[in-house]
Amino acid sequence: MLRLARVNIQKLDALHSRCFAAVASKKAHEKDIAQGPARQNESFMANIFRGSLVPTQVFPYPDVLTSEQKELTASLIDPFERFFAEVNNAARNDENSKIDDNTLTALWELGAFGIQVPSDFGGLGLNNTQYGRLCEIVGANDLGLGITIGAHQSIGFKGILLFGTPEQKEKYLPKVASEKVYAAFALTEPSSGSDAASIKCRAVKSADGKHYVLNGSKIWISNGGMAEIMTVFAQTEQTDKKTGEKKDKVTAFIVERSFGGVTSGPPEKKMGIKASNTAEVYFEDVKIPIENILGEEGEGFKVAMNILNNGRFGMGATLAGTMKECIKKATEHANNRVQFGQKIKNYGAIQEKLAQMNILQYATESMAFAISQNMDSGSQDYHLEAAISKVYASECAWYVCDEAIQILGGMGFMKETGLERVLRDLRIFRIFEGTNDILRLFVALTGIQYAGSHLKEVQRALKKPTANLGFIFKEASKRAASTVGLGGTDLSPYVIDELQPYAKKTAACIDLFGQTVEELLLKYNKNIVHQQFTLSKLANAAIDIYAMIVTQSRASRATRLNLPTANHELSLTKALTLQASDRALMNLRNATSSYHQELNKEMSLIAQSVCENSGVHTSGVIDLN
Amino acid sequence: MARVLVGVKRVIDYAVKVRVKPDKKGVVTQGVKHSMNPFDEIAVEEAVKLKEKKLASEIIAVSVGPAQSQEVIRTALAMGADRGVHVEVSGDEYELLQPVHVSKILAKLALDEKADLVILGKQAIDDDANQTAQMTAAVLDWPQGTFCNKVEKTDAGLTISREIDGGLETIKTKIPAVLSADLRLNTPRYATLPNIMKAKKKPLKKVTAKDLGVDTTPRIEIISVEDPPVRQAGALVADVDALVAKLKEGGHI
């Protein structure tokens, strides 16, 4: 039997977009749904939402750099590391809450501010993968400094790279790549965080149509206190070409501090990433020439989301480096510290920690470079994976750093060891550039939306059964197979022999994943967008599946290439698969179980009651009642 | 204005733990990180400083070795050398290449390139020979200033302060001359990324030892390469008397 959900796709879509102001849906998908047959999406993760396997982006593990590019990248690593060893001092940057001028000058000379700017504009012209490799070094050494250079190029002027006109590129890229002009990305406002579409900054077009006048303010802008050039988002009045209706829509602008009317507040005092400057930025009657509109008028939201999506992969690479450094410190200690007459590395409690830390590092790195290489080979379908890797990397890095501190014990708590700074620095990574909570919903709903569009296609085919018999038969048999538990997913062609049993476990997760999505669509219809308890379970399962897939692919590659580390990588992959497949199955079962329905209801009630009473709402045990 | 020839050798990175090959004929080099010999970096830096002070007109970086030696030439170019010469000596022959060969090659190149100054690292950290600069000076019959701690240009030539046992020695020399760089001569810069990009476009000439008329036939044969002996485990003694007894037993006192 073919089971079909009658999903009101358009409504789902509209709700989805509103929910995900901070992360955005992909325009291409929206078009697919409106216009008919879904285009082939290359994303591995998007496709498992509809129970289908599209292996091109993950199997075999991508390898896009030419040997010349690899050689060049290798030659850049040494000077980058030497900058951190000889010039930069992360502890001092943290202590002073700023990077001193000498270090910044050295960083400019090193070329670290224009890594991806084409060499014609004075940058290094590296691709995403090469950038990612350098990010790893930054992450291992100084996250605060990493934010300074990341806010500058990963988001600050990325919009000019992605959407700039030739004139805008000519004018601004040389400055920000090598002429010591800082850039910033200004989206967030006091009343507009995750819900980025609700910004209040407003730009009004002058009567002669030659410029816009911008008013409003932004908060928590990285590099906000020092940036000369900013990508600023503001509401503008746009007229709908069809209906003539006037509507507020977001437009992106390139704003120079020198336009006048741009001021910034004092540096914010923060928990971590203190080396980076974070400030409020105010705009008072700032005159922006019309040629400084970035992208299309009224399309600023899309510009913002594309910039964020495009920059997100770098975080995974950065944090993979951070984890490496934490692991190095923890291992050094475990190798030397003697307690109860033995090196602590001989104790199971320590071994378990070290192994877990390495498993997570391996998966994070595998994700980051799968995505960067997908992007470099021209893929447009990396947004789900990039969101997954951001969530995964930021949570794993926190765990790894925390456990490193635990292994070092009291020594880990001391400032001198340098891990407490890293832990403070890491905390923000789960919050900024799309909070992990929002990104989880984004992953689940973007996938569901894609699956829904496919279901709609099946519905359409069913209206003319004779004409679409083959298609319907294929769908029916696929679904029949998964319902009776035969399992439609087969990963065996893609992994080496030794990993076959593990690939089977992952395949079982993928099968259940597709079924669960369909079941949820059937059950909730368009209301699925409100089921956040359930959606985050689905997202967690997706994250675990992606971790299994990329590590199995990378370890297979290591084995085929006969790398000296292949056996170790296989161990990491096996261990990860055992953990992740179990967890994914549990999350998927929970997503539809009645037991969890009850739990969710209770949790919801608890939260309501706590909120109504502004805090803990219990009677003290020994208080007078 | 002088033309400076700088020697740069590709060696196993100082941070790598060196392992002996199973056949005991050498050390493992495959898949091992290599970089420019640290003393050669100091030599390059000194040459670049001379150029920045307008005391040198051109810097030529030379490396003798297999194809990968070009990596360290590129590094020298990124640090500020103007062009490179790669003298290709491949595989087995390179393993048996000795300072005497390299010094003849460098001497020939110094004459061909009309160099006024040859600056080399005082020794390479792989074979620790500390001979090439001295031999090169001998082949050329030029004065030498080895273990340089400071190099100053004077009207007549160079005033060099050298590191010797127990202190510094100051000498004066005319140019042309051969210098060898000691550790404290300067702190070498790292190549910036934009300069690495630019270095890709700088000229790099490839020649063979044969082209230069230098015979690199091996004069030696490697019999065996051994790991340093492993340190024996120590033992705790109960008191001073026991310690003295043990030392006597071992014939140490």
Side-chain angles (χ1 to χ4, degrees):
Chain A
M1 265 302 287
L2 196 57
R3 301 179 303 168
L4 281 179
R6 288 164 51 82
V7 184
N8 187 326
I9 306 294
Q10 258 86 21
K11 270 192 193 156
L12 171 65
D13 192 44
L15 278 164
H16 173 241
S17 310
R18 256 186 43 208
C19 266
F20 296 100
V23 246
S25 54
K26 284 190 59 206
K27 264 287 183 279
H29 286 183
E30 288 162 23
K31 259 187 226 139
D32 290 345
I33 293 153
Q35 290 169 5
R39 100 190 150 90
Q40 177 65 27
N41 184 326
E42 292 290 316
S43 159
F44 181 86
M45 291 312 293
N47 279 292
I48 67 165
F49 275 84
R50 41 175 264 207
S52 95
L53 197 70
V54 177
T56 45
Q57 290 199 348
V58 285
F59 294 115
Y61 194 82
D63 184 13
V64 303
L65 296 192
T66 62
S67 57
E68 197 181 320
Q69 284 173 314
K70 280 179 188 163
E71 219 167 86
L72 174 67
T73 315
S75 72
L76 303 178
I77 290 170
D78 207 43
F80 232 71
E81 283 178 340
R82 279 177 67 175
F83 162 81
F84 285 105
E86 293 170 16
V87 182
N88 189 53
N89 182 333
R92 189 182 58 207
N93 294 344
D94 181 62
E95 198 72 36
N96 299 344
S97 289
K98 73 184 285 243
I99 307 170
D100 63 71
D101 292 343
N102 285 343
T103 308
L104 282 174
T105 306
L107 202 52
W108 276 102
E109 281 167 4
L110 185 64
F113 282 98
I115 297 173
Q116 293 195 270
V117 175
S119 48
D120 293 350
F121 297 117
L124 299 175
L126 299 190
N127 64 19
N128 294 307
T129 304
Q130 294 170 308
Y131 175 72
R133 182 65 187 87
L134 296 180
C135 282
E136 255 190 307
I137 301 169
V138 176
N141 288 286
D142 191 343
L143 287 168
L145 181 142
I147 296 305
T148 304
I149 59 176
H152 176 75
Q153 61 197 320
S154 181
I155 50 177
F157 68 77
K158 187 58 108 15
I160 304 177
L161 266 182
L162 294 176
F163 297 98
T165 61
E167 294 76 25
Q168 289 170 342
K169 287 182 178 174
E170 186 98 11
K171 183 169 181 194
Y172 292 111
L173 289 181
K175 287 187 178 151
V176 293
S178 62
E179 291 168 23
K180 303 191 181 176
V181 172
Y182 294 98
F185 178 87
L187 175 64
T188 300
E189 296 180 8
S191 63
S192 169
S194 293
D195 184 6
S198 67
I199 53 171
K200 299 226 164 55
C201 266
R202 172 168 292 281
V204 180
K205 205 182 243 175
S206 63
D208 60 4
K210 285 197 178 135
H211 56 260
Y212 269 97
V213 176
L214 172 68
N215 278 288
S217 66
K218 300 283 182 182
I219 56 164
W220 301 330
I221 303 308
S222 289
N223 293 352
M226 54 208 248
E228 286 297 324
I229 290 169
M230 301 179 209
T231 305
V232 181
F233 299 89
Q235 300 286 359
T236 51
E237 193 180 76
Q238 301 294 327
T239 315
D240 192 301
K241 277 175 194 134
K242 281 182 207 150
T243 60
E245 192 187 345
K246 288 194 171 161
K247 223 174 159 187
D248 273 354
K249 288 192 96 177
V250 176
T251 298
F253 298 94
I254 306 168
V255 178
E256 293 178 39
R257 199 179 280 263
S258 62
F259 286 166
V262 181
T263 50
S264 46
E268 299 286 351
K269 293 185 172 62
K270 307 186 291 284
M271 174 183 188
I273 56 163
K274 293 185 184 189
S276 67
N277 170 285
T278 312
E280 294 186 19
V281 182
Y282 316 102
F283 304 100
E284 202 183 331
D285 293 331
V286 180
K287 264 175 88 169
I288 311 170
I290 205 90
E291 58 268 20
N292 272 35
I293 289 173
L294 190 56
E296 298 292 313
E297 269 188 88
E299 295 288 334
F301 189 69
K302 195 178 113 191
V303 171
M305 294 315 130
N306 269 295
I307 292 171
L308 290 172
N309 280 330
N310 188 284
R312 209 162 268 144
F313 80 94
M315 223 182 280
T318 304
L319 296 177
T322 311
M323 287 188 238
K324 222 180 241 180
E325 186 62 20
C326 292
I327 289 170
K328 194 170 148 204
K329 285 189 168 145
T331 319
E332 265 168 27
H333 188 76
N335 272 335
N336 293 310
R337 174 76 169 169
V338 176
Q339 284 292 279
F340 306 107
Q342 278 220 46
K343 295 260 170 79
I344 62 168
K345 68 174 176 185
N346 295 322
Y347 296 119
I350 300 295
Q351 289 170 356
E352 194 178 5
K353 287 188 200 302
L354 280 177
Q356 190 63 59
M357 291 156 74
N358 280 277
I359 291 166
L360 300 179
Q361 196 277 341
Y362 186 64
T364 302
E365 195 179 85
S366 305
M367 284 185 188
F369 287 98
I371 297 163
S372 74
Q373 296 194 81
N374 287 161
M375 291 169 75
D376 287 332
S377 57
S379 168
Q380 295 298 315
D381 304 319
Y382 58 83
H383 300 75
L384 269 187
E385 283 83 356
I388 286 174
S389 88
K390 189 270 182 182
V391 173
Y392 193 77
S394 56
E395 290 176 8
C396 289
W398 177 262
Y399 179 89
V400 166
C401 183
D402 185 53
E403 285 288 71
I405 290 173
Q406 191 70 14
I407 290 173
L408 273 113
M411 204 55 225
F413 195 66
M414 297 299 130
K415 224 178 174 110
E416 199 189 322
T417 307
L419 283 170
E420 62 86 32
R421 184 194 75 244
V422 176
L423 194 76
R424 282 188 285 107
D425 287 348
L426 278 174
R427 191 59 189 84
I428 191 65
F429 285 80
R430 285 156 58 198
I431 300 171
F432 67 8
E433 288 206 45
T435 68
N436 286 12
D437 315 271
I438 288 286
L439 286 176
R440 278 196 164 83
L441 299 177
F442 168 71
V443 167
L445 283 180
T446 309
I448 285 177
Q449 185 192 17
Y450 181 64
S453 73
H454 181 74
L455 277 179
K456 199 183 173 198
E457 214 176 306
V458 180
Q459 273 180 307
R460 198 182 296 123
L462 268 186
K463 284 182 190 153
K464 278 189 189 167
T466 45
N468 298 296
L469 204 59
F471 179 73
I472 292 166
F473 186 72
K474 203 174 116 215
E475 287 299 314
S477 61
K478 195 167 88 193
R479 272 147 225 274
S482 52
T483 344
V484 295
L486 284 175
T489 306
D490 181 14
L491 294 170
S492 64
Y494 311 115
V495 303
I496 56 153
D497 288 349
E498 201 178 334
L499 288 177
Q500 291 296 342
Y502 301 88
K504 267 211 180 82
K505 285 180 186 295
T506 310
C509 297
I510 294 174
D511 281 337
L512 184 61
F513 193 87
Q515 286 172 39
T516 308
V517 170
E518 194 178 321
E519 202 173 324
L520 290 172
L521 273 172
L522 266 172
K523 182 165 175 187
Y524 295 109
N525 212 317
K526 66 179 195 282
N527 286 322
I528 186 72
V529 291
H530 303 303
Q531 306 301 317
Q532 296 196 353
F533 284 102
T534 305
L535 291 170
S536 55
K537 287 188 185 70
L538 202 60
N540 283 336
I543 292 167
D544 271 329
I545 289 171
Y546 191 54
M548 289 189 274
I549 291 292
V550 291
T551 52
Q552 285 170 18
S553 182
R554 180 174 168 196
S556 294
R557 169 186 180 269
T559 309
R560 287 187 196 115
L561 292 177
N562 211 5
L563 299 183
T565 52
N567 275 331
H568 181 63
E569 294 185 37
L570 283 173
S571 288
L572 293 168
T573 303
K574 289 176 189 173
L576 180 130
T577 305
L578 291 172
Q579 295 174 335
S581 60
D582 244 21
R583 195 168 44 224
L585 289 178
M586 186 187 71
N587 270 315
L588 290 170
R589 287 191 204 109
N590 289 348
T592 51
S593 80
S594 54
Y595 163 77
H596 263 264
Q597 297 272 303
E598 190 188 331
L599 176 61
N600 296 347
K601 204 190 287 168
E602 286 304 332
M603 299 286 261
S604 193
L605 281 175
I606 294 168
Q608 275 170 34
S609 155
V610 168
C611 290
E612 273 160 26
N613 294 283
S614 306
V616 171
H617 182 48
T618 55
S619 307
V621 177
I622 57 164
D623 295 348
L624 293 172
N625 291 317
Chain B
M1 290 290 264
R3 180 174 288 131
V4 186
L5 191 82
V6 194
V8 289
K9 184 177 184 183
R10 177 176 178 268
V11 297
I12 293 179
D13 190 81
Y14 73 94
V16 171
K17 195 170 175 281
V18 176
R19 285 179 301 132
V20 173
K21 272 200 267 192
D23 69 0
K24 303 215 166 184
K25 293 288 180 201
V27 296
V28 178
T29 53
Q30 281 248 305
V32 170
K33 188 186 175 199
H34 284 70
S35 44
M36 189 193 293
N37 176 38
F39 290 109
D40 296 348
E41 281 189 347
I42 298 173
V44 175
E45 175 68 30
E46 197 60 21
V48 175
K49 281 218 166 88
L50 286 175
K51 196 177 172 193
E52 284 170 347
K53 283 187 231 153
K54 310 267 185 229
L55 296 173
S57 56
E58 191 185 25
I59 304 166
I60 307 155
V62 183
S63 190
V64 185
Q68 298 97 315
S69 301
Q70 292 194 2
E71 292 165 15
V72 293
I73 299 179
R74 291 284 173 212
T75 306
L77 295 175
M79 286 172 75
D82 298 288
R83 57 193 175 90
V85 179
H86 172 214
V87 184
E88 187 158 31
V89 177
S90 52
D92 298 342
E93 205 166 286
Y94 181 63
E95 295 200 347
L96 298 174
L97 198 73
Q98 292 286 297
V100 67
H101 302 128
V102 180
S103 56
K104 283 179 188 165
I105 291 170
L106 291 174
K108 181 72 169 58
L109 281 171
L111 295 175
D112 287 357
E113 301 287 352
K114 299 189 175 53
D116 306 288
L117 208 53
V118 176
I119 311 181
L120 307 175
K122 71 165 179 176
Q123 70 193 66
I125 62 166
D126 51 0
D127 58 11
D128 280 337
N130 184 1
Q131 295 168 10
T132 308
Q134 295 86 332
M135 286 183 174
T136 307
V139 175
L140 286 164
D141 199 18
W142 286 4
Q144 56 180 289
T146 50
F147 315 127
C148 294
N149 173 283
K150 199 169 167 192
V151 177
E152 276 173 319
K153 178 87 173 73
T154 57
D155 290 339
L158 299 168
T159 299
I160 298 164
S161 133
R162 305 177 59 235
E163 298 208 3
I164 57 168
D165 285 351
L168 295 172
E169 178 186 65
T170 306
I171 60 164
K172 284 184 178 173
T173 174
K174 291 180 176 149
I175 51 173
V178 178
L179 309 182
S180 83
D182 211 322
L183 185 66
R184 283 162 285 270
L185 179 59
N186 58 49
T187 309
R189 70 196 65 192
Y190 52 80
T192 66
L193 277 52
N195 285 341
I196 291 174
M197 299 297 189
K198 283 179 205 145
K200 288 200 292 184
K201 295 191 184 102
K202 290 185 179 177
L204 199 169
K205 188 170 75 180
K206 197 164 99 175
V207 297
T208 62
K210 214 171 144 195
D211 297 339
L212 299 171
V214 177
D215 172 19
T216 53
T217 319
R219 314 289 210 275
I220 57 161
E221 183 191 345
I222 293 173
I223 311 294
S224 177
V225 176
E226 305 280 342
D227 273 313
V230 181
R231 188 171 169 266
Q232 298 294 311
L236 282 175
V237 288
D239 51 31
V240 176
D241 289 344
L243 173 66
V244 172
K246 281 266 181 199
L247 288 173
K248 275 186 179 158
E249 200 181 298
H252 300 295
I253 49 173

